[in-house]
Amino acid sequence: MESTYDVIVVGAGGAGMTAALAAKTKHGLETVVIEKSSYFGGSTSRSGGGVWIPGNYALKAAGQVEPGDADAAKLYLESIVGDVVPRERRDTYVDRGPEVLEFLRAATPVRLKWVPDYADYHPEAPGGRLKGRSVEPVPTDARIIGDELKRLHPPYAKAPANMVVTQADFRKMATGFRTIKGPLTMVRVGLRKVISTLLGRRLFGMGAALAISLRKGLMDAQVPVLYEHELTDLIVEGGRVVGIRVSTPDGPKELRARKGVILGSGGFEHNQELRDKWQPAPQNVDWSTGAPSNTGAGILAGIAAGAATDLLDEAWWGPTIMLPGRSWFLLSERNLPGSFIVNAEGRRFMNEALPYVEAVHEIQKGQASGVEHVPSWMIFDQTYRSRYIFAGLSGQQPIPGRWFKEEFVVKSESIEGLAERIGVPAENLAATVERFNGFARTGDDEDFHRGVSGYDHYYSDPTVKPNCSLAPLDKAPFYAVKILPGDLGTKGGLVTDAHARVLRPDGSVIEGLWAAGNVSSAVMGRTYAGPGATIGPAMVFGYLAAEDLASA
């Protein structure tokens, strides 16, 4: 069976839906989206929904765009990404990003707002911004998509209906009752839930809100999404991509594209064979929070068509713990005072509050040294546990017995007993605690400078002095959790140019093929500019792919 369209978009995540919207509503092209899974949204819908695009309308509305900000943002990317990614591609992202968000504001219900003070991940780097450049979706009532809501990708963490916590809310709630902002935010979130329920709303926030809004845009534009259509191959004729082959519940199909194919099919985080082939060991697909359907089909199809690849050894890494049946990405937990991370020798090896990609890079460097760092261990005491949210549990909620029984969390009345239980030298761990506690008292982490960067302060406790990122571990019982190099998804893939065209190893363009999102090698290179520096590029280069395709 064969069908023909102007443009075929592979993947119904942030990159794919933005590309399809632009192709249809801005350029008038007959467009179809094919999606491997039964759901729309992909990893975007499972994320915090942040978007890092300097100079956008939401930042302007909040008074967060200074004169020369675009040049500063370009300098920032140059300083942290460097020549890993060509300047033209980096600069194009900064120059065109605001336009893309204006387009989405017009074509979808998505509305974005500044995340106050969520710093760039390297705010002290040239061009970095301490107050941040990230925005997030305003909570969205999913009734706008009707029955299609059943197709929304299942969430990363379950929450009661209408219980919407934004990124800005989460920061205040993470410190529990330590400041008045915590309980006030909890009350506001609870009231929003009650009011929304009484009014019959179906409220979603974060990445789900963004995905729902993009899906509504596709529905209004009458762009079909064909679910359970798995890409198996690109059709190449005369050196040009002219369509795709897919497997479906009804058997194999061919779809033809008059203008071209845009890949937005995600990374390969859930393909163990590819992870073993391309990424630092040890690795496990279970440690990733990316969409389970992301197994690298688009990357493999692109390689088969002659595409170059880059950054296949990289991911949007983050220290991760395992809980029953799932992984948990540690966002705030390791930053909060009263905890630290050690290797198998019972010694610290990094600033635990580093941006999450850089934290895993430190784990990987340590592992390569011959000392076991996978797993590492996060150590904390009862004071920490009683004060702060940990893996979704408030300080007043007991850790489930199953977590202890299955040793996801280990507990002991003494540091020496804890060391024995996790298999690290007791004298080393005791010495590490003593030295760390000294740093907490003076406010100066002489070993790894935790609390020096402005980013370290975002998830910290402002009531803790003299360093809001450091507090002693001195109240039993003591806890340990196993830290693994998890991720939000892989970030290596097909090499593309500033127009999102897929390139061959010699730099020539593969006609008829574009790529955006995690199927392509990241414009952020081996680092991470700030919250939303995954979704932002996915949408921008999806938009630019449609633009270039339309002019081809």
Side-chain angles (χ1 to χ4, degrees), residues 40-72:
F40 71 88
S43 293
T44 297
S45 69
R46 295 165 61 85
S47 73
V51 179
W52 192 89
I53 292 180
N56 69 71
Y57 70 83
L59 292 175
K60 289 179 180 177
Q64 296 301 313
V65 180
E66 298 89 4
D69 183 67
D71 289 337

Side-chain angles (χ1 to χ4, degrees), residues 3-216:
S3 301
T4 302
Y5 305 86
D6 290 331
V7 55
I8 299 168
V9 177
V10 182
M17 289 197 285
T18 301
L21 269 170
K24 179 65 184 291
T25 65
K26 191 171 180 67
H27 304 291
L29 299 175
E30 184 184 5
T31 305
V32 67
V33 177
I34 70 144
E35 168 55 43
K36 173 183 177 179
S37 73
S38 301
Y39 307 107
F40 71 88
S43 293
T44 297
S45 69
R46 295 165 61 85
S47 73
V51 179
W52 192 89
I53 292 180
N56 69 71
Y57 70 83
L59 292 175
K60 289 179 180 177
Q64 296 301 313
V65 180
E66 298 89 4
D69 183 67
D71 289 337
K74 291 175 185 178
L75 174 62
Y76 178 55
L77 291 183
E78 181 178 10
S79 67
I80 66 169
V81 177
D83 58 8
V84 173
V85 176
R87 178 190 296 272
E88 182 187 10
R89 192 164 170 238
R90 291 187 271 112
D91 288 356
T92 296
Y93 175 63
V94 173
D95 287 337
R96 300 296 302 277
E99 172 189 338
V100 176
L101 293 191
E102 289 286 4
F103 163 73
L104 291 176
R105 180 162 62 162
T108 78
V110 70
R111 296 296 179 267
L112 300 167
K113 62 180 181 180
W114 176 49
V115 184
D117 301 320
Y118 204 165
D120 288 346
Y121 287 160
H122 306 273
E124 289 78 32
R129 192 169 192 275
L130 186 59
K131 285 186 168 291
R133 296 177 167 104
S134 293
V135 297
E136 66 174 324
V138 172
T140 298
D141 186 347
R143 291 180 297 177
I144 59 175
I145 60 171
D147 289 343
E148 187 68 4
L149 181 59
K150 69 180 182 292
R151 295 284 194 177
L152 175 67
H153 201 291
Y156 160 56
K158 291 184 179 180
N162 289 317
M163 183 65 79
V164 174
V165 177
T166 66
Q167 290 189 42
D169 293 336
F170 180 72
R171 181 199 186 187
K172 299 167 189 171
M173 294 169 64
T175 51
F177 292 90
R178 298 287 290 165
T179 72
I180 190 62
K181 291 180 180 179
L184 287 178
T185 302
M186 294 174 198
V187 168
R188 183 165 51 81
V189 168
L191 284 174
R192 183 164 58 201
K193 177 186 185 306
V194 170
I195 292 169
S196 295
T197 301
L198 290 173
L199 294 175
R201 295 172 181 160
R202 305 193 70 179
L203 212 59
F204 287 80
M206 295 192 176
L210 180 57
I212 289 165
S213 295
L214 291 172
R215 186 68 187 92
K216 172 61 172 171

Side-chain angles (χ1 to χ4, degrees), residues 51 57 61 119 130 157 188 207 226 237 258 290 305 339 356 376 410 480 493 496 502 525 529 536 546:
V51 179
Y57 70 83
L130 186 59
R188 183 165 51 81
L226 306 181
E237 295 177 356
R258 302 180 190 96
S339 70
Y356 34 89
S376 299
V410 178
T496 57
V502 176

Side-chain angles (χ1 to χ4, degrees), residues 123-389:
E124 289 78 32
R129 192 169 192 275
L130 186 59
K131 285 186 168 291
R133 296 177 167 104
S134 293
V135 297
E136 66 174 324
V138 172
T140 298
D141 186 347
R143 291 180 297 177
I144 59 175
I145 60 171
D147 289 343
E148 187 68 4
L149 181 59
K150 69 180 182 292
R151 295 284 194 177
L152 175 67
H153 201 291
Y156 160 56
K158 291 184 179 180
N162 289 317
M163 183 65 79
V164 174
V165 177
T166 66
Q167 290 189 42
D169 293 336
F170 180 72
R171 181 199 186 187
K172 299 167 189 171
M173 294 169 64
T175 51
F177 292 90
R178 298 287 290 165
T179 72
I180 190 62
K181 291 180 180 179
L184 287 178
T185 302
M186 294 174 198
V187 168
R188 183 165 51 81
V189 168
L191 284 174
R192 183 164 58 201
K193 177 186 185 306
V194 170
I195 292 169
S196 295
T197 301
L198 290 173
L199 294 175
R201 295 172 181 160
R202 305 193 70 179
L203 212 59
F204 287 80
M206 295 192 176
L210 180 57
I212 289 165
S213 295
L214 291 172
R215 186 68 187 92
K216 172 61 172 171
L218 290 182
M219 292 168 69
D220 290 346
Q222 298 184 319
V223 175
V225 177
L226 306 181
Y227 296 103
E228 298 180 76
H229 278 55
E230 181 176 359
L231 174 70
T232 58
D233 199 9
L234 296 169
I235 302 172
V236 182
E237 295 177 356
R240 180 183 180 85
V241 174
V242 296
I244 62 173
R245 297 185 180 91
V246 295
S247 63
T248 77
D250 299 322
K253 295 180 181 179
E254 284 193 1
L255 282 69
R256 292 272 171 162
R258 302 180 190 96
K259 301 285 285 185
V261 172
I262 301 174
L263 297 175
S265 49
F268 58 92
E269 55 266 26
H270 286 283
N271 186 322
Q272 190 64 54
E273 181 181 354
L274 295 184
R275 299 205 81 141
D276 290 343
K277 179 179 179 181
W278 290 329
Q279 300 207 305
Q283 263 299 322
N284 192 299
V285 296
D286 292 337
W287 303 345
S288 179
T289 59
S293 55
N294 289 345
T295 57
I299 296 171
L300 294 175
I303 291 172
T309 59
D310 196 15
L311 302 175
L312 294 174
D313 58 336
E314 283 288 0
W316 304 101
W317 304 112
T320 296
I321 64 174
M322 293 304 298
L323 299 176
R326 63 192 175 99
S327 58
W328 182 273
F329 193 90
L330 293 181
L331 188 61
S332 65
E333 292 91 342
R334 63 192 167 80
N335 303 50
L336 289 163
S339 70
F340 58 77
I341 296 174
V342 298
N343 58 25
E345 292 186 343
R347 295 188 172 97
R348 292 178 69 214
F349 56 92
M350 67 172 173
N351 167 10
E352 295 85 357
L354 282 171
Y356 34 89
V357 165
E358 317 307 340
V360 170
H361 283 162
E362 292 301 315
I363 291 173
Q364 291 168 339
K365 282 194 286 186
Q367 184 74 8
S369 75
V371 176
E372 185 177 86
H373 286 65
V374 182
S376 299
W377 295 91
M378 179 176 165
I379 312 295
F380 54 94
D381 72 347
Q382 187 58 46
T383 298
Y384 172 98
R385 175 74 278 271
S386 299
R387 285 178 173 178
Y388 308 125
I389 289 179

